[in-house]
Amino acid sequence: MIPLAAILSLMAATPPRHASENAALAMAAISAERCAADVETLAAFGTRHTLSDTDSPTRGIGAARRWIKSQFEAIAATSNGRMTASFETFEIPPGPRVPAGATIVNVVAVLRGVMPEAAGRACYVVGHYDSRNGEPLDASGDAPGANDNASGTAVVLECARVLALLPTDATIVFLATAGEEQGLLGARAHAEVVAAERRWTINGVLNNDIVGDPYGWSTAPDPADRSSIRVFSEGLPRNPSAQRLSELRAIGAENDSTSRQLARFVAEIAAVEKTGIRPRITYRHDRFLRGGDHSCFNDAGFSAVRFTAPKEDYNRQHQDVRVETAPDGSTITFGDLPRFVNPEYLADVARLNAAVLVHLANAPSAPADVRVITAQLENPTTLRWSPSPEPDVAGYEIVWRETTSPTWDHARDVGTTTEAVVELSKDDWFFGVRAYDRDGYRSPVSFAGAATR
Ligand SMILES: [Zn+2]
């Protein structure tokens, strides 16, 4: 295995390289040993409950967040001044799972983009670092939270380690949130503040939550689970206006939110970069009736998806650590312990995240105002769009698919134009446009709406 330092200096040394060379370097730099060590360290804080001790140097959420920040600071020291690490504090009023209110502290590292036209755009990798046991308000009992969600936090840390020296056009934000188990408090506060301040445009959030154990509840481990992860994305925005809903209905865009395009983008990058884990696109914003930190970014108007392992084991999730004897005499271990996390699987999830971040942070913006021209009834489909602002844009691709297909199955390179005609009926196909640059990066697809010109 090539040492991390050698790969990092290679990354910093000779840019620009082709997209897949950068993605391969980032993936090669990821270490299962470091991911496992992060999970062990986080679990060893005993509990990371949002309302737990903040003063102890060894136990509770305070010690955990100081350790995460120290990791980000050590990584930032390797970033040639591009990365900053900080705490982000919010005072939350009393609520169902914070009866006396709470101080929520997220840990954030920001890796600034190097292209002026793109640095105001940010993509995110997110994991909540808080944990809980069987009782949502138990702030002192053990809650090791290894899979939920030291695993996601380890993905965030490891992506920061391997990307710190890669020059990227856009900004990357590495975010470890608190208060997820108490009602998505840290992520919601962060997303709302970024939207209100217009701090930057968020063009993709990868939320990693429960990503360390591929087999979960299965009694006979299925090799297919070892190479798969679920990717949840919303199909419709949560609170569309009546007019917006009517527009989406009129063109059949129930399956084409920007978050769904991000999920398709993730699947495409996985195929191009031959990642060890293949995304299973799931047509739901989250698991049945459930939610996660990405939902807060969705609510604030940003595209965001959730990664979760194939088979969650509820004996290990939100459970007090204990051993019970089953009626047949066998013993069952309850609790979210590090030994149930698979380091190689977790590292493969980190590799998928890193590959997507390399592409997303270097690709041009997805074209704006992509539209099917409806000035008159005609069979061919005319598409128009606005050019992406980055100076390295080398052209655009029209993509299309059958209305029943989950993925963009057809693409045509149309060069640097901002208009194209396809000899296919808009009644029978969905259309979109993406931008590409000279280094082989492609943007996510912008779905085509409708306009008269
Ligand atoms: Zn979780």
Side-chain angles (χ1 to χ4, degrees):
M1 199 178 129
I2 314 168
L4 178 60
I7 289 181
L8 291 184
S9 64
L10 209 58
M11 273 188 187
T14 54
R17 281 173 301 264
H18 188 269
S20 287
E21 292 176 63
N22 282 327
L25 281 173
M27 291 194 289
I30 281 170
S31 146
E33 291 76 20
R34 276 195 305 271
C35 291
D38 289 344
V39 170
E40 290 281 355
T41 301
L42 286 162
F45 292 111
T47 176
R48 304 184 307 280
H49 191 280
T50 294
L51 304 176
S52 63
D53 193 326
T54 57
D55 294 327
S56 162
T58 55
R59 186 178 175 87
I61 194 165
R65 71 191 178 220
R66 287 188 292 277
W67 178 78
I68 294 168
K69 182 157 170 274
S70 75
Q71 293 295 301
F72 278 152
E73 284 166 346
I75 297 164
T78 71
S79 73
N80 289 336
R82 284 179 55 220
M83 187 187 281
T84 52
S86 60
F87 286 139
E88 177 185 61
T89 303
F90 302 98
E91 295 304 329
I92 303 291
R97 288 203 179 168
V98 283
T103 302
I104 301 290
V105 183
N106 297 331
V107 198
V108 195
V110 178
L111 184 65
R112 273 281 161 197
V114 298
M115 179 186 281
E117 295 82 358
R121 187 153 56 80
C123 44
Y124 276 58
V125 57
V126 177
H128 74 83
Y129 72 94
D130 64 312
S131 66
R132 57 163 284 192
N133 57 27
E135 162 53 54
L137 289 178
D138 178 359
S140 58
D142 279 352
N147 197 17
D148 186 12
N149 184 36
S151 67
T153 310
V155 167
V156 174
L157 287 169
E158 187 65 2
C159 284
R161 287 184 192 111
V162 304
L163 296 178
L165 268 179
L166 179 73
T168 51
D169 293 353
T171 295
I172 304 179
V173 177
F174 306 87
L175 177 63
T177 62
E180 197 270 353
E181 303 289 8
Q182 311 311 116
L184 317 178
L185 303 176
R188 185 165 306 284
H190 178 93
E192 286 178 355
V193 140
V194 168
E197 281 180 357
R198 298 170 194 268
R199 191 181 296 173
W200 42 59
T201 309
I202 300 178
N203 78 319
V205 175
L206 310 177
N207 178 31
N208 290 268
D209 196 347
I210 311 172
V211 293
D213 172 19
Y215 304 122
W217 53 261
S218 43
T219 43
D222 180 349
D225 289 330
R226 171 60 183 81
S227 58
S228 103
I229 191 147
R230 292 177 290 170
V231 184
F232 295 92
S233 60
E234 65 177 11
L236 288 172
R238 181 179 296 194
N239 294 309
S241 65
Q243 185 190 336
R244 182 74 190 129
L245 199 53
S246 166
E247 289 165 3
L248 294 172
R249 188 173 183 276
I251 60 171
E254 304 92 344
N255 187 14
D256 279 280
S257 67
T258 58
S259 296
R260 191 61 47 85
Q261 306 309 340
L262 178 61
R264 293 186 177 110
F265 182 81
V266 168
E268 216 157 281
I269 298 305
V272 167
E273 303 302 351
K274 302 180 174 55
T275 55
I277 289 191
R278 294 305 165 95
R280 204 171 95 212
I281 294 177
T282 308
Y283 284 176
R284 275 205 171 108
H285 93 279
D286 204 313
R287 296 137 321 143
F288 199 72
L289 292 178
R290 300 177 77 184
D293 279 347
H294 61 300
S295 316
C296 305
F297 287 90
N298 289 155
D299 291 351
F302 303 118
S303 53
V305 299
R306 174 189 183 127
F307 292 124
T308 298
K311 290 182 168 134
E312 293 167 74
D313 185 339
Y314 301 119
N315 286 350
R316 298 173 191 163
Q317 190 177 121
H318 302 175
Q319 288 281 0
D320 293 351
V321 179
R322 65 193 190 279
V323 176
E324 285 185 6
T325 306
D328 66 0
S330 63
T331 57
I332 308 170
T333 302
F334 290 84
D336 191 355
L337 300 165
R339 68 180 150 101
F340 300 127
V341 168
N342 179 325
E344 297 297 335
Y345 178 78
L346 178 55
D348 275 344
V349 175
R351 289 184 183 104
L352 173 63
N353 274 264
V356 172
L357 290 169
V358 166
H359 278 268
L360 201 53
N362 282 298
S365 307
D369 309 315
V370 176
R371 57 215 190 264
V372 170
I373 303 303
T374 56
Q376 57 192 45
L377 278 176
E378 54 185 354
N379 287 317
T381 300
T382 301
L383 292 157
R384 279 189 202 135
W385 58 93
S386 301
S388 299
E390 293 80 5
D392 63 346
V393 170
Y396 299 90
E397 280 178 346
I398 308 286
V399 297
W400 63 94
R401 66 178 209 270
E402 295 254 24
T403 60
T404 50
S405 172
T407 48
W408 295 109
D409 302 315
H410 309 277
R412 180 189 300 165
D413 185 351
V414 294
T416 52
T417 179
T418 55
E419 177 177 322
V421 179
V422 188
E423 297 294 329
L424 291 168
S425 168
K426 54 193 156 296
D427 300 334
D428 302 338
W429 302 84
F430 288 134
F431 293 94
V433 181
R434 65 188 168 206
Y436 61 87
D437 73 9
R438 53 185 179 227
D439 300 319
Y441 292 105
R442 288 179 169 78
S443 75
V445 169
S446 291
F447 185 73
T452 52
R453 57 197 196 95

